[in-house]
């Protein structure tokens, strides 16, 4: 609305963001083609590219969700139960992969990159999305491939598990380092804002370093923490002093970097093998039966 209560620009008008807000409680500053500017909140605007594809996406809802959970080729448990760090309050987090039918994948509507069910703590990645993340050495995805708790797997899923070493490379060092840095930042933020750490953040930082070092040295990922269980639970319960936990973190960081210097893993994952598997899977998605 303009100052005189007339409509300056109708809903659907296109403008340019000239100033973005610092957070979602503040408004964007939008400038229109005639020079008129207005403060508009995020829930009152949409990106032009999203608006143009919105009708297809809206119409896709009944199609994209129809039967996709029945197309899961691999389901496992990750998180604390897979690590061996669960307690009575731990959730059961399930992850996996689904292969959409060829007709749906080829359709105008496409398929979602992942299926999520917050109530049951389930997430299933579409096969190509999963493979791309695995090739980038995403820790959550690699843990899914190496989870000790597999609940369901089809023959096609078995083929993927049989080639999981193809996804391991020196990229593990860079990607895991990014996740470690993220956990360390959370730890510093906790100290700065609350004067104390969230012990779960500290535990996961240490666990990531242990996991990443093992991959670089042994060429295989081990999800379950094994002999480190009690020591990690001591951190989780806040029974280890922050000084001792931080000293352990520093030693593990040094071990992690040393393992990277001597690792026998290739510089990059086996893109060709991963691509060949994806193409085979796409061809088998033509069949009515789940491969």
């Amino acid at each position: 609305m303009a100052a005189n209560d007339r409509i300056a620009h109708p809903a659907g008008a296109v403008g340019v963001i000239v100033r973005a807000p610092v957070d979602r409680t503040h408004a964007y500053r939008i400038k229109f083609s005639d020079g008129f500017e207005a403060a508009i909140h995020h829930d009152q605007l949409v990106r032009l590219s999203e608006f143009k594809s919105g009708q297809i996406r809206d119409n896709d809802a009944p199609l994209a969700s129809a039967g996709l959970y029945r197309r899961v080729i691999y389901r496992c448990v990750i998180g604390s139960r897979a690590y061996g760090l669960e307690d009575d309050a731990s959730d059961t987090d399930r992850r996996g992969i689904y292969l959409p039918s060829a007709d749906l994948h080829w359709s105008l509507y496409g398929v979602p990159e992942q299926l999520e069910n917050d109530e049951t703590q389930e997430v299933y990645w579409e096969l190509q999305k999963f493979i791309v993340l695995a090739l980038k050495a995403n820790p959550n995805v690699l843990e899914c491939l190496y989870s000790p708790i597999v609940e369901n797997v089809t023959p096609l899923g078995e083929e993927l598990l049989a080639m999981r070493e193809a996804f391991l490379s020196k990229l593990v060092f860079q990607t895991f380092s990014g996740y470690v840095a993220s956990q360390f930042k959370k730890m510093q933020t906790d100290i700065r804002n609350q004067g104390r750490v969230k012990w779960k953040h500290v535990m996961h930082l240490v666990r990531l370093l242990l996991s990443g070092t093992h991959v670089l040295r042994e060429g295989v990922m081990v999800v379950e923490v094994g002999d480190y269980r009690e020591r990690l639970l001591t951190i989780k319960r806040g029974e280890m002093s922050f000084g001792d936990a931080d000293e352990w973190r520093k030693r593990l960081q040094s071990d992690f970097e040393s393992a990277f210097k001597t690792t026998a893993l290739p510089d990059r994952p086996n893109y060709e093998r991963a691509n060949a598997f994806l193409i085979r899977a796409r061809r088998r998605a033509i069949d009515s039966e789940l491969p």
Side-chain angles (χ1 to χ4, degrees):
M1 303 295 291
N4 58 1
D5 288 336
R6 69 178 182 85
I7 296 176
H9 292 279
V14 177
V16 175
I17 296 172
V18 294
R19 188 172 68 246
V22 294
D23 56 49
R24 291 173 71 87
T25 63
H26 293 79
Y28 287 89
R29 191 71 183 175
I30 308 297
K31 186 173 185 178
F32 294 89
S33 58
D34 60 357
F36 179 82
E37 292 189 15
I40 302 178
H41 283 274
H42 68 90
D43 58 351
Q44 296 174 305
L45 54 81
V46 63
R47 290 175 56 191
L48 181 60
S49 59
E50 295 174 354
F51 179 79
K52 290 191 290 185
S53 62
Q55 191 62 39
I56 294 176
R57 191 165 57 249
D58 292 343
N59 284 343
D60 125 349
L63 180 61
S65 61
L68 290 183
Y69 281 93
R70 295 195 297 271
R71 302 286 301 180
V72 172
I73 63 171
Y74 176 66
R75 183 177 72 240
C76 69
V77 174
I78 65 163
S80 59
R81 297 194 183 279
Y83 305 145
L85 297 171
E86 75 276 9
D87 54 33
D88 293 339
S90 296
D91 294 324
T92 300
D93 298 316
R94 291 180 171 87
R95 297 292 183 270
I97 309 162
Y98 85 96
L99 176 71
S101 66
D103 285 350
L104 182 55
H105 184 237
W106 293 335
S107 73
L108 175 65
Y109 307 107
V111 294
E113 289 190 334
Q114 63 186 49
L115 310 174
E116 298 183 45
N117 188 329
D118 293 335
E119 291 183 4
T120 58
Q121 300 293 315
E122 291 178 275
V123 175
Y124 300 103
W125 290 280
E126 193 278 322
L127 178 60
Q128 181 173 343
K129 177 67 173 181
F130 182 91
I131 288 175
V132 169
L133 290 173
L135 290 169
K136 293 179 179 179
N138 179 290
N140 295 326
V141 168
L142 292 182
E143 287 172 2
C144 183
L145 275 176
Y146 283 87
S147 172
I149 309 175
V150 176
E151 294 188 331
N152 181 58
V153 60
T154 70
L156 183 64
E158 291 278 12
E159 289 182 32
L160 182 61
L161 292 180
M163 57 170 281
R164 57 191 177 184
E165 76 281 355
F167 298 102
L168 300 180
S169 72
K170 290 181 181 177
L171 286 176
V172 164
F173 179 74
Q174 284 81 15
T175 307
F176 276 54
S177 292
Y179 277 68
V180 166
S182 175
Q183 290 293 332
F184 186 66
K185 183 178 180 180
K186 288 179 182 178
M187 193 172 72
Q188 290 180 310
T189 301
D190 293 339
I191 294 173
R192 184 172 59 252
N193 294 341
Q194 303 174 26
R196 55 187 176 83
V197 296
K198 290 181 180 176
W199 291 107
K200 192 173 182 179
H201 291 165
V202 181
M203 182 192 71
H204 282 303
L205 188 158
V206 170
R207 186 191 59 77
L208 278 167
L209 287 170
L210 288 168
S211 178
T213 301
H214 189 276
V215 175
L216 292 173
R217 285 187 173 150
E218 306 299 330
V220 65
M221 170 164 279
V222 175
V223 175
E224 195 168 13
V225 297
D227 293 340
Y228 294 105
R229 180 178 188 274
E230 289 305 319
R231 199 172 180 190
L232 288 169
L233 287 176
T234 299
I235 295 177
K236 184 179 180 181
R237 294 190 296 260
E239 296 170 358
M240 182 183 292
S241 72
F242 177 73
D244 287 346
D246 200 41
E247 280 300 316
W248 191 19
R249 175 193 67 81
K250 291 175 182 176
R251 290 196 301 272
L252 291 175
Q253 181 67 46
S254 178
D255 289 345
F256 187 41
E257 292 172 1
S258 295
F260 174 63
K261 295 175 183 177
T262 59
T263 185
L265 288 178
D267 290 339
R268 291 291 185 269
N270 195 328
Y271 297 112
E272 293 77 14
R273 191 175 177 189
N275 186 60
F277 172 81
L278 178 61
I279 292 173
R280 289 199 309 274
R282 291 282 189 244
R283 287 172 175 158
R284 292 170 69 178
I286 297 173
D287 300 331
S288 57
E289 295 294 324
L290 184 64

